[in-house]
């Protein structure tokens, strides 16, 4: 797997299991690792527990069995950059976009002037066209997504977790948003887990694709794509991309044509 | 367009009123004509007679709104947050919400006496229940994902209240205030019609009725209507300034 130290902190998910109530087991002993500055995509059928797994990793749900730690320190992650699925709901409409981006710093107790300065600097460097003085509901979905990315990275988290970040976009805008995300991500890479439903998206973004399946969900298989970065649209036409894509589809149970 | 329709609507209503009065379609004892009503109103304004009762009524209603609002918001926040506690109180709250609040006025007169406190207490009770229930719904309408955002950042309970629960429930709280201001005024004016009122719109309306002074009666009804309208508009103005994000 990807659990070899590269320098920074690596995410280690070991034997994570979870049940709802007495009888419904959701996750069954899931283990994988994500190296620093690597992106892992998690795929699997609807309702298989991908989002649940993400919430366990992010500390929103404690696992019944197993552990989520950062290596080599062995501590559970404490600073998580979480991008939730329903982006427009996850932004706070009563705060300006700038204050939304700065929210994690407010939780950390930083003063208003300071955190606004940090947020403006971050937004200015990475998304200079983002209208940060407006309110989130005045922005396009794409701009809202960028604001959510910036909010997730502003306090330099130890890892990023993204729940279907590109599902709201049509094909063209999805390519655009994925490139934008990777560009922003490169400015501050961390171990990253992305939940997605789209094979192309998973292969395009990630270094490895983990396919979950079964009830309760376990790891069906892992595809390490080995595709070069930075990722460009040309990659979509390469044979390496097609091969990785085919392999993921096989794991997902699709019949290759 | 909207503005001209409003003007036409108001003028039309007054015109119908004037015609009905002019042609004596209704006994003048029941219906004063708009012009003598306006004259009486003008005299009341000119002599300053309009102010003391209006001020007294508005003051009672606002004091009730302030007391009932503060208690209602705090209790509503607590009950919205702790669902189990709400379940304990649910039937009691629904019972009092369904009880006509003026039914409690005689009781409050026994407890608080004939003066201001019993009137304010009755209006407070009405405002409190409305605002409490609305605040509770407001807290419950908080979107889970916004709480998740805070929890994923390691926010404390107090930070979640401050950054999510308070702003998210604010539209509901203000909607509660808007209803409470109208109901509070209704209750205040009603209680002022009872014994022991030295000043207030309710007393003026009741007295004008008692002596069959229809014009004065209509003038005072008009004053109470305008007062209610103004208070309502004031809350709506606050609403628009405070919650620009409504519906998002």
């Amino acid at each position: 797997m990807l659990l070899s130290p590269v320098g920074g902190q690596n995410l280690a998910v070991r034997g994570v299991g979870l049940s709802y109530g007495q009888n419904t087991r959701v996750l069954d002993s899931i283990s994988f690792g994500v190296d620093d500055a690597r992106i892992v995509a998690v795929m699997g059928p609807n309702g298989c527990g991908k989002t649940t797994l993400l919430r366990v990793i992010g500390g929103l749900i404690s696992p019944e069995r197993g552990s989520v730690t950062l290596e080599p320190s062995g501590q559970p992650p404490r600073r998580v950059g979480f991008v939730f699925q329903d982006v427009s709901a996850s932004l706070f409409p009563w705060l300006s976009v700038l204050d939304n981006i700065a929210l994690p710093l407010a939780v950390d107790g930083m003063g208003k002037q300071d955190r606004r300065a940090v947020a403006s600097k971050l937004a200015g460097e990475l998304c200079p066209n983002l209208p940060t003085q407006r309110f989130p509901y005045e922005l396009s979905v794409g701009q809202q997504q960028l604001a959510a990315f910036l909010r997730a990275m502003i306090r330099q988290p130890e890892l990023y977790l993204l729940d279907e970040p590109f599902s709201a976009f049509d094909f063209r805008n999805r390519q655009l948003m994925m490139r934008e995300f990777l560009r922003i991500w490169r400015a501050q890479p961390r171990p990253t887990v992305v939940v997605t439903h789209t094979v192309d998206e998973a292969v395009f973004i990630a270094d490895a694709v983990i396919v979950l399946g079964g009830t309760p969900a376990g790891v069906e298989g892992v595809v390490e794509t080995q595709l070069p970065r930075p990722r460009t649209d040309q990659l979509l036409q390469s044979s390496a991309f097609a091969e990785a894509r085919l392999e993921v589809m096989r794991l997902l149970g699709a019949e290759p044509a | 367009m909207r503005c001209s329709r409003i003007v036409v609507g108001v003028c039309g209503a007054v015109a119908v009123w004037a015609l009905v009065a002019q042609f004596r379609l209704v006994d003048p004892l029941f219906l004063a004509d708009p012009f003598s009503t306006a004259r009486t109103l003008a005299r009341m304004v000119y002599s300053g007679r309009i102010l003391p009762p209006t001020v007294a009524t508005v003051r009672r209603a606002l004091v009730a709104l302030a007391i009932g609002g503060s208690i209602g918001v705090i209790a509503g926040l607590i009950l919205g947050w702790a669902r189990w506690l709400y379940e304990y109180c649910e039937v009691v709250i629904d019972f009092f919400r369904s009880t006509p609040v003026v039914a409690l006025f005689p009781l409050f007169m026994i407890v608080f006496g004939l003066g201001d406190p019993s009137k304010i207490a009755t209006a407070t009770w009405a405002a409190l229940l409305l605002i409490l229930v609305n605040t509770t719904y407001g807290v419950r309408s908080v979107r889970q994902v916004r709480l998740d955002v805070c929890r994923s950042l390691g926010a404390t309970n107090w930070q979640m209240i401050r950054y999510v629960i308070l702003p998210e429930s604010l539209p509901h709280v203000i909607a509660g205030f808007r209803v409470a201001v109208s109901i509070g005024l209704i209750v205040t004016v009603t209680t002022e019609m009872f014994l022991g009122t030295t000043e207030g719109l309710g007393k003026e309306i009741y007295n004008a009725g008692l002596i069959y002074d229809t014009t004065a009666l209509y003038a005072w009804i008009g004053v109470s209507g305008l007062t209610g309208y103004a208070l309502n508009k004031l809350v709506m103005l606050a609403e628009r300034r405070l919650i620009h994000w409504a519906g998002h």
Side-chain angles (χ1 to χ4, degrees):
Chain A
M1 286 229 184
L2 299 164
L3 240 167
S4 58
V6 166
Q9 298 265 24
N10 307 294
L11 173 70
V13 177
R14 289 198 183 86
V16 163
L18 188 75
S19 309
Y20 282 151
Q22 290 281 304
N23 303 313
T24 325
R25 289 175 65 198
V26 188
L27 300 176
D28 178 38
S29 184
I30 290 177
S31 300
F32 64 91
V34 187
D35 277 355
D36 189 26
R38 291 287 172 147
I39 300 176
V40 161
V42 175
M43 297 198 69
N46 272 333
C48 78
K50 301 184 293 291
T51 297
T52 308
L53 176 63
L54 210 61
R55 294 171 73 87
V56 170
I57 298 171
L60 292 176
I61 307 174
S62 353
E64 283 168 354
R65 295 172 298 282
S67 65
V68 175
T69 53
L70 287 166
E71 304 297 334
S73 70
Q75 296 293 313
R78 293 183 51 230
R79 303 165 74 81
V80 180
F82 212 127
V83 177
F84 291 87
Q85 189 180 356
D86 189 351
V87 172
S88 23
S90 83
L91 295 170
F92 297 177
W94 47 86
L95 297 180
S96 70
V97 172
L98 189 70
D99 285 333
N100 264 285
I101 295 169
L103 178 77
L105 303 176
V107 171
D108 283 352
M110 192 188 277
K112 200 165 209 163
Q113 296 307 319
D114 291 344
R115 63 184 192 246
R116 280 186 175 160
V118 175
S120 307
K121 187 158 174 285
L122 182 74
E125 279 168 9
L126 293 174
C127 307
N129 293 325
L130 195 66
T132 51
Q133 300 306 319
R134 300 256 188 99
F135 289 99
Y137 54 82
E138 299 175 302
L139 268 55
S140 69
V141 185
Q143 291 173 321
Q144 290 180 2
Q145 189 64 267
L146 291 177
F149 289 152
L150 294 177
R151 181 174 69 182
M153 70 191 302
I154 194 164
R155 64 169 184 180
Q156 298 162 341
E158 297 157 326
L159 70 157
Y160 298 119
L161 303 172
L162 297 93
D163 196 355
E164 299 193 34
F166 309 112
S167 59
F169 300 97
D170 60 45
F171 177 78
R172 234 172 62 88
N173 281 312
R174 175 174 307 178
Q175 286 305 120
L176 189 84
M177 287 307 297
M178 285 198 290
R179 281 200 312 268
E180 280 290 277
F181 165 68
L182 289 174
R183 185 179 64 77
I184 293 170
W185 180 84
R186 264 202 312 279
Q188 198 188 93
R190 294 284 188 277
T192 301
V193 181
V194 183
V195 164
T196 172
H197 266 300
T198 316
V199 178
D200 286 1
E201 190 178 306
V203 174
F204 185 82
I205 278 207
D207 299 287
V209 181
I210 293 175
V211 176
L212 300 184
T215 11
V219 176
E220 297 264 281
V222 180
V223 178
E224 298 201 31
T225 62
Q226 316 266 351
L227 298 171
R229 286 190 191 278
R231 306 278 162 93
T232 58
D233 281 1
Q234 278 76 42
L235 187 73
L236 293 172
Q237 293 151 19
S238 71
S239 58
F241 183 86
E243 271 167 40
R245 191 173 175 279
L246 211 61
E247 226 180 309
V248 174
M249 283 171 72
R250 254 187 228 118
L251 275 175
L252 284 166
E255 290 294 318
Chain B
M1 199 60 199
R2 197 185 115 75
C3 204
S4 59
R5 279 176 184 162
I6 288 171
V7 171
V8 169
V10 173
C11 293
V14 174
V16 170
W17 177 15
L19 286 173
V20 170
Q22 185 64 38
F23 292 107
R24 302 261 166 145
L25 298 177
V26 176
D27 188 330
L29 181 63
F30 305 145
L31 187 73
D33 73 278
F35 307 106
S36 43
T37 304
R39 259 197 309 279
T40 309
L41 205 54
R43 248 198 322 273
M44 276 159 45
V45 173
Y46 187 71
S47 65
R49 172 113 170 68
I50 193 175
L51 266 185
T54 311
V55 170
T57 301
V58 169
R59 195 183 59 83
R60 288 185 191 113
L62 289 184
V63 169
L65 202 67
I67 302 172
S70 327
I71 302 172
V73 165
I74 291 167
L77 287 174
I78 294 167
L79 290 179
W81 178 259
R83 225 162 248 238
W84 57 274
L85 196 61
Y86 184 82
E87 279 163 19
Y88 279 116
C89 308
E90 195 174 347
V91 174
V92 178
I93 289 172
D94 278 345
F95 172 78
F96 281 115
R97 218 154 50 113
S98 317
T99 309
V101 66
V102 284
L104 298 171
F105 184 49
L107 174 66
F108 286 140
M109 287 215 285
I110 296 174
V111 178
F112 297 108
L114 298 181
D116 267 6
S118 58
K119 297 176 181 58
I120 291 171
T122 315
T124 300
W125 185 249
L128 189 155
L129 282 170
L130 281 165
I131 289 164
L132 182 150
V133 169
N134 262 56
T135 308
T136 307
Y137 285 141
V139 174
R140 287 194 186 172
S141 75
V142 169
R143 299 208 203 176
Q144 189 57 42
V145 62
R146 291 182 182 150
L147 294 177
D148 284 344
V149 167
C150 282
R151 284 178 53 212
S152 79
L153 294 170
T156 60
N157 275 347
W158 166 240
Q159 283 175 326
M160 288 211 256
I161 291 171
R162 187 171 149 209
Y163 293 130
V164 180
I165 293 171
L166 286 181
E168 181 110 65
S169 47
L170 192 61
H172 290 263
V173 173
I174 295 201
F177 268 91
R178 227 173 88 187
V179 183
V181 91
S182 302
I183 304 282
L185 191 68
I186 292 173
V187 173
T188 308
V189 170
T190 309
T191 57
E192 284 166 354
M193 294 184 183
F194 286 78
L195 280 173
T197 313
T198 47
E199 230 159 19
L201 291 175
K203 182 193 164 209
E204 301 300 336
I205 291 167
Y206 192 74
N207 285 350
L210 266 186
I211 57 168
Y212 295 96
D213 186 350
T214 313
T215 323
L217 179 59
Y218 273 68
W220 284 116
I221 291 173
V223 173
S224 69
L226 288 173
T227 306
Y229 190 79
L231 287 176
N232 219 319
K233 282 283 163 196
L234 226 64
V235 183
M236 275 171 80
L237 208 71
E239 191 168 17
R240 237 174 307 170
R241 297 208 67 173
L242 283 172
I243 39 175
H244 56 84
W245 69 87
H248 291 282

